[in-house]
Amino acid sequence: MVGKKSGRALLRDEGLQRTDNNMEFTSWPQVNMINQKNYYTEFLKRDDQTLALRLQHDEQLDRRKKAAVDIDRARAQAAQDGLPFTEPAPAADEDNDDDEDMEDADSESFGSKTIVIHVGSQNLRLGFATDALPKTVPMVIARKSKQSEAEDSEPRPKRMKLDVAPEEWFGEEFAKEYTSMASDFKISRRANKRRVLPNSRELVTKWNTQNTPEFISEHNDPLRIEWTETSEALDYIVGEAALRIPDDSKPRYRLHWPIRHGWLNEEDYTSRHALERDFFLIIEESIRSELGLKHKKEWNQYSCVFLIPDIYEKVLVGRVLEELFLDFGFQKVCFMQESLAASFGAGFSTACIVDIGAQKTSVCCVEDGMCIEDSRINMKYGGYDVTETFVKMMLFDHFNYDEFNLARRHDFLLAEDLKDKHTTLSDENVTVQLYDFHVRASGQETRKYQFKIYDEGQLAPLGYFRPAIFEHSEKVNGRRKLIPRSVDLYSGHPNDPLPLAQMAVIAYVDRNVPSAVMAPPAKPARLLGTPTVSTPSKPRPLGLPGHLNGGDDGTPRSSVAGSPPPEDIGNGTPQPNGEGGANGEDSADIHGAQPDVEVIDRTVPLMPLDQAILTSIHHACTTSSNAAAPINESRRRDLLGAILVIGGASKTPYLREYLEQRLRASMPQYPKEILVAGPPRELDPEVLVWKGGSVFGKLRMTNDSWIGALEYDRLGTRILHYKCMWHW
């Protein structure tokens, strides 16, 4: 039995004894481990350590260094000339909040070097922040083509049949809806003690059928149109001049609208590059022509406030940010949501903003300088839908200008003029009346038509409250054909904003307007480079990403509606007792499975305007998606008393009064609180959003919302997560 060895024997026999010369393995200094029981760091714990404040501090330091160098140079020059030198008084810091003379170092008012840009579906508005009103430019570009848009497409409004009577041109669905609206209008007029002639429609039809136009020679027409001259040297024409190009011009030009219904117009383009090129080219040419900035080398002295929709697309916002820095070369850029800008322009701290534009209508509640996220709604109808429906109604009643085609440029301008003159929501003077208009086309004699209308001028804008009368069949065509949706870099889930109020709108469409839900494609094409979005069946709470919900599920597959919307939304008319979900207490518990994003892209979001407002206010006053969650009654009363209706289409006479009447009928428990108002101080509702952006642009640039070129160069579009005034 072998005995136990001592420790010294083990070191000797087993080779464990140390035999080195005590030299270190490396000359590099060794860092000892931190004692985790007692250590402290201030990294990113103070405000002055953030990127924005560090850069502002560096700018102030550079400014002080420059001022010190200028003083030393002036002192040396005075000593050389033998003159006494008086040191100037130190300049006040720029971060103070006093309201003294807002002058910068160059004795120019703040905002004179700030450009405010607001892009709409039909018009672009831009100008300096110090301007009283913006410049308005049609958001259209004309490019050379073999055929014009009128020659290459079917007439609009789209006729389903041509060899039949005008009553059958637009199909049975439109005829049924139009007849129903006319019948309801008669009932309401009788209830209001208005006189209703039983044969009014027949009088209109008979007159329009029998009257022919009167021809006027061009030299006898004092209001003849000055058409845009074209030549082979002009590759493109932008703005108002593009709308004045004759349809039969030589060479031919085709109009392109890069923005349709608040989205990039993917249907009419074949490549993403061409679509984005036209979008930014219209803005660039408008800055050159309308603001007088001819050379891009001067643009690095200017900053830009760019107004975006409340429910934005991150891909487009990131692309705009890239273009404004890399191509336009602006010094600083700031993004601002439209509803927030409207509250700035109106001077309201709390309001429900209703923006009725040309092709989209947005509703959003604003409180204390922030858009309430779950209250945002974006619907795809507006003033252009009223124009198209008004023309369809007149053609339905045997309008004597039966070749009306909104795809032709002069007819489009004529239709907009007729809508502005003859549409109203007041039933005071709705009788059979005689009007006239002139058709002015290039190379043709002016034609003077006399026509009669009865209630078409009121039924067309009533489409805001019965959107099923509008044409929705082509509004989502080409959606996601060129522009991929934004997805989270880590989870791969879509991360564009999808508020709860917008979900209620999708639910309304699924149940009440099935024609606005497009059929799925047979073989959906997947964009190159677009991450695949999984659709497992496991539901998850709405608004919570899958990777934060205890699972790795993607977007669940479910019906279009995660859960039913408010009860008063389901039947198309508000409940008189005001007990529906949009009114408060019985709102749907929208916390089930989230709709498939593919279904959302195929759904045209629309809802009656009054119900959309109540839905938005309801979701602004709840603290949770649960129906049993308490309602902030004080906030609801504040929002009901500050409904601000803006946008170009809101200029329809008596629209605000009619809307207030319908809201009070839906919410009888608030007889005095509901108030629908227009812009204060007689501001034009078309430019109120731009005006709010200009107000913000005139503030001192000491807030964190401005993005500098150095910040974009370091972080790219990721800087939006830190710089936006809302949760990006």
Side-chain angles (χ1 to χ4, degrees), residues 3 21 60 69 82 128 136 251 348 356 359 417 443 510 527 557 573 580 666 670 682 714:
N21 55 1
Q60 292 179 4
V69 171
F128 296 111
T136 300
F348 289 4
I356 310 176
Q359 296 184 3
D417 183 62
D510 182 46
L527 288 172
R557 182 181 299 278
T573 56
S666 301
Y670 300 104
E682 298 183 357
R714 290 182 178 180

Side-chain angles (χ1 to χ4, degrees), residues 397-411:
D397 294 333
H398 295 256
F399 193 52
N400 43 8
Y401 182 41
D402 56 358
E403 59 188 56
F404 219 126
N405 182 9
L406 294 178
R408 289 199 298 246
R409 295 150 202 173
H410 61 272
D411 281 352

Side-chain angles (χ1 to χ4, degrees), residues 685-698:
E686 289 185 356
V687 303
L688 184 65
V689 174
W690 181 93
K691 192 67 177 178
S694 69
V695 171
F696 182 82
K698 286 185 286 190

Side-chain angles (χ1 to χ4, degrees), residues 18 20-30:
R18 181 171 181 173
D20 59 12
N21 55 1
N22 294 326
M23 295 184 64
E24 300 289 344
F25 288 105
T26 177
S27 60
W28 191 265
Q30 299 296 316

Side-chain angles (χ1 to χ4, degrees), residues 291-478:
L291 303 185
L293 303 179
K294 302 295 184 181
H295 306 289
K296 271 190 177 181
K297 62 182 180 181
E298 305 173 359
W299 294 8
N300 58 3
Q301 305 173 15
Y302 292 83
S303 301
C304 176
V305 177
F306 200 95
L307 303 171
I308 62 174
D310 304 324
I311 304 180
Y312 50 86
E313 293 187 336
K314 291 187 176 182
V315 172
L316 176 58
V317 177
R319 184 68 183 89
V320 170
L321 178 64
E322 177 185 358
E323 190 75 11
L324 294 181
F325 275 124
L326 300 185
D327 187 23
F328 289 19
F330 286 133
Q331 184 181 24
K332 290 185 178 181
V333 175
C334 174
F335 290 101
M336 194 176 188
Q337 291 172 295
E338 291 175 344
S339 293
L340 179 59
S343 68
F344 267 71
F348 289 4
S349 61
T350 300
C352 178
I353 307 297
V354 183
D355 188 354
I356 310 176
Q359 296 184 3
K360 74 174 179 65
T361 297
S362 63
V363 184
C364 179
C365 296
V366 179
E367 185 179 39
D368 295 335
M370 291 292 292
C371 294
I372 302 176
E373 293 185 357
D374 285 335
S375 70
R376 294 174 292 176
I377 289 178
N378 191 312
M379 299 177 292
K380 303 305 178 184
Y381 62 76
Y384 177 80
D385 295 273
V386 174
T387 301
E388 186 179 26
T389 303
F390 183 49
V391 172
K392 290 172 70 173
M393 289 179 175
M394 291 192 298
L395 291 174
F396 187 93
D397 294 333
H398 295 256
F399 193 52
N400 43 8
Y401 182 41
D402 56 358
E403 59 188 56
F404 219 126
N405 182 9
L406 294 178
R408 289 199 298 246
R409 295 150 202 173
H410 61 272
D411 281 352
F412 169 74
L413 298 175
L414 172 63
E416 290 289 330
D417 183 62
L418 291 176
K419 179 194 71 173
D420 294 340
K421 289 181 178 178
H422 305 305
T423 57
T424 180
L425 279 174
S426 171
D427 63 345
E428 262 185 75
N429 300 318
V430 177
T431 57
V432 178
Q433 299 186 43
L434 179 65
Y435 300 102
D436 62 70
F437 67 92
H438 297 77
V439 177
R440 297 177 174 89
S442 176
Q444 303 178 14
E445 291 184 333
T446 301
R447 287 170 286 173
K448 179 182 178 181
Y449 285 88
Q450 289 187 325
F451 70 103
K452 286 186 177 182
I453 59 173
Y454 173 49
D455 55 1
E456 297 92 333
Q458 179 161 11
L459 296 183
L462 275 178
Y464 294 137
F465 307 93
R466 297 184 64 166
I469 193 68
F470 294 149
E471 177 64 39
H472 306 293
S473 60
E474 299 179 354
K475 291 184 178 179
V476 294
N477 287 358

